[in-house]
Amino acid sequence: MTRVTRHFIKVDGRLVHYRRAGQGPVLLALHQSPRDSAELLPLMQAMAPFATVIAPDNPGFGLSDPLPPGPATVDRFADGVDRLMDALGLTSAAFYGFHTGACIANRFAVLYPHRVSGLVVDGFMLMEEPERADLLANYLPAFHPQWDGGHLAWAWHRIRDQGIFFPWYRRDPSARLSRPKPDLTRIHDQIMEFLRAGDSYRTGYEAALSYRPAADMATLTVPALLFAAQDDPLHRYLSKLPPLPCGVTTGTAPNRTAAWDVVTGFLRGHLPVEPAPAVPDFTARGVTDGIAWVAGGQGAPCLRLHDLGGAGSLLPPPSAGAWLAPDLPGMGDSEAVADPGDLAAMADAIAGLLTTRGWTGGEVEGWGYGAAVASLLARRHPGLATRLALHSGITEPPLDLHPVEGGGHLLAAWQQARDSHLFAPGNGVLPGPNRLQAETWYWLKAAPILDRAWKALGAGG
């Protein structure tokens, strides 16, 4: 399996997170709302032998900052892609877009045809105006965290019903999709992406729903495949396409698995000539060998290790000095590159990160579980820790946050986030709901490893 790496870059002051795989000419892949670039991993694996596949999180989704305040238009998203290409040093690319990403890619090909060697528009809407007005009026309710966690119950059924009805808010037989009962794991994965986007989810959706792609499709000047799989609710719009110019074709497949064969076959024949440049350096945030980290400041270095279920980005930066705050493996935005049930393995993984980053020693500060990892780091790799600053953390076993039917684990994670302030050492003051929402997300992310990590903490490793 091809290695997929993760990176960050600043574009007009906005943080953009993207995945990258393969080598050679560039394919830019754009995901649907409210998901992130992880949904495009099957495409990345399929195309990596032939191209450098770059899949950014669209603005406001995943780990990418939202666009500045302004109208929710596809043009603004397309302009953002143009600026991203400049920041990455890309001259041209083949493009793939799915649903919202398809709208952005299609519009980009009209606004910037000189940068597009080929285009796949996978899933699009050619609506009559009454249908558009209905969707814009009902599809995008505001989504704001509530003190009692009630927003989580709404979000669970919003995402679940999206796999049962189209549109999700029309819960009657005429809108029922011919699909089996939604899979629990898939619902959980989608709701995690929805929760991370927060109210920003409306901007991407509104831009897509407001877009009228037919005129752009009729005037495309780049090789293009307008596609929709037969199990896609948007497949019905294939029959509504306008007359298409030479070089623009249509396609379908029985399901999403078969769709990748059609899509990748087209893309392989329409890649640009220029190979991708090297990954640009970015020192404020990154992912090294699966471990996510944030960094900043100048002066004496300090490594900061968060407590169980936390993330480096949630720690307040110190008042002085240079600092590095990684997400411990299996938590935050890090992959499980070490077993959280083995404190020594966790300490060794952090030591590997420090060595890769050229760390030559400094203060190590840790909270709770992070303090236990810091202690072992100092014992096993004494040259990396010149001083320890250890703090207490959560004092009771975390709740079981594994996904359950009905979404009860979401409310349990909300309570876990609240109680980590109310009943742990500290001032007992609850943060605002947006901060609690971020903490809830990280508790849910850590659900698979919490029990092992807590037992390791009690056993001292």
Side-chain angles (χ1 to χ4, degrees), residues 386-401:
T386 58
R387 178 177 177 272
L388 288 177
L390 306 179
H391 312 280
S392 57
I394 63 169
T395 57
E396 296 183 354
L399 299 173
D400 183 353
L401 304 180

Side-chain angles (χ1 to χ4, degrees), residues 147 413-414 417-418 421 430-441:
W147 71 270
W414 183 258
R418 285 167 52 91
H421 294 278
L430 281 175
N434 288 329
R435 166 73 183 213
L436 280 175
Q437 180 81 341
E439 294 181 8
T440 296
W441 194 96

Side-chain angles (χ1 to χ4, degrees), residues 178-215:
S178 298
R179 291 181 176 179
K181 178 182 175 181
D183 175 72
L184 174 61
T185 300
R186 182 175 174 84
I187 298 172
H188 177 75
D189 290 346
Q190 291 180 351
I191 203 164
M192 288 291 283
E193 292 161 329
F194 185 80
L195 294 179
R196 169 154 271 180
D199 198 50
S200 292
Y201 92 96
R202 294 195 292 162
T203 303
Y205 267 123
E206 184 178 350
L209 295 175
S210 301
Y211 179 47
R212 296 163 173 81

